[in-house]
Amino acid sequence: MKRTSLERAECPIARSLDAIGDWWSLLIIRDALLDRRRFGEFQRSLGLAKNILDKGILKTAPASDGSAYQEYVPTLKGRGVFPILVALRQWSEKFDRHPEQIATILVDRDNGRPVRKLELYSLDGRLLSAADTTLKPRPRRAKRHPGRLSLKGRRGA
């Protein structure tokens, strides 16, 4: 079955799923953020084929140990997935049938204390729930016409 690309979808959730929607993509990013770098480490951890590492979320770089190997490191786009992974983790910790079986907790590296639950706030600081939000159309930018001279802001025009 051929996968349909969601790259040009109007919905931002659908567009993000085009890049990270496969379960193994999120696990690759998780492993990269946990400092796994080499293809063999990903393959041992997840049993994956090399072709799924090419989504613009990881890039290859010379090995940090100076060897001839290449490492896979998260790009800015890959590091941007971190809050998504934290949200999924926290959701599972809250709603899993057996949370006591979860082997790890996410802690602040500096003090070893658990991180605070992710929350969504309005620009004025109010805590928001799904009931407090809605979607509206994005304002359209005025189209510029090539070759037309704009006289706005010119003196004497």
Side-chain angles (χ1 to χ4, degrees):
M1 177 186 229
K2 188 175 179 180
R3 184 174 170 210
T4 302
S5 174
L6 300 171
E7 184 177 28
R8 298 195 187 281
E10 290 183 6
C11 174
I13 295 170
R15 290 169 73 127
S16 66
L17 289 173
D18 191 67
I20 60 171
D22 299 315
W23 62 266
W24 59 80
S25 296
L26 288 171
L27 295 177
I28 289 171
I29 298 162
R30 176 208 60 194
D31 282 1
L33 292 170
L34 290 171
D35 291 329
R36 290 193 176 109
R37 296 286 184 250
R38 297 200 176 154
F39 176 71
E41 292 175 312
F42 292 118
Q43 195 168 38
R44 277 190 300 281
S45 173
L46 304 170
L48 299 176
K50 198 171 191 171
N51 63 341
I52 66 166
L53 298 173
D54 185 27
K55 299 228 184 233
I57 294 171
L58 300 178
K59 66 180 180 181
T60 57
S64 57
D65 63 6
S67 68
Y69 290 101
Q70 293 282 303
E71 294 180 339
Y72 293 93
V73 295
T75 62
L76 180 62
K77 185 177 178 180
R79 290 188 303 274
V81 177
F82 180 69
I84 298 168
L85 295 174
V86 171
L88 287 169
R89 167 184 266 283
Q90 290 179 347
W91 178 82
S92 182
E93 289 169 343
K94 182 172 183 173
F95 295 107
D96 192 273
R97 285 186 177 188
H98 302 285
E100 70 282 355
Q101 295 174 356
I102 298 172
T104 60
I105 60 171
L106 184 64
V107 299
D108 182 324
R109 191 181 297 267
D110 287 344
N111 60 28
R113 295 174 60 195
V115 298
R116 187 182 270 178
K117 180 181 166 237
L118 289 179
E119 296 176 322
L120 182 65
Y121 290 91
S122 68
L123 288 176
D124 64 9
R126 292 176 295 115
L127 181 61
L128 299 174
S129 71
D132 299 315
T133 65
T134 190
L135 298 174
K136 68 178 192 177
R138 181 181 301 277
R140 299 208 182 265
R141 291 185 180 175
K143 291 186 179 181
R144 298 189 74 138
H145 298 285
R148 291 181 69 183
L149 179 63
S150 172
L151 300 178
K152 279 188 174 180
R154 290 188 56 197
R155 290 186 182 188

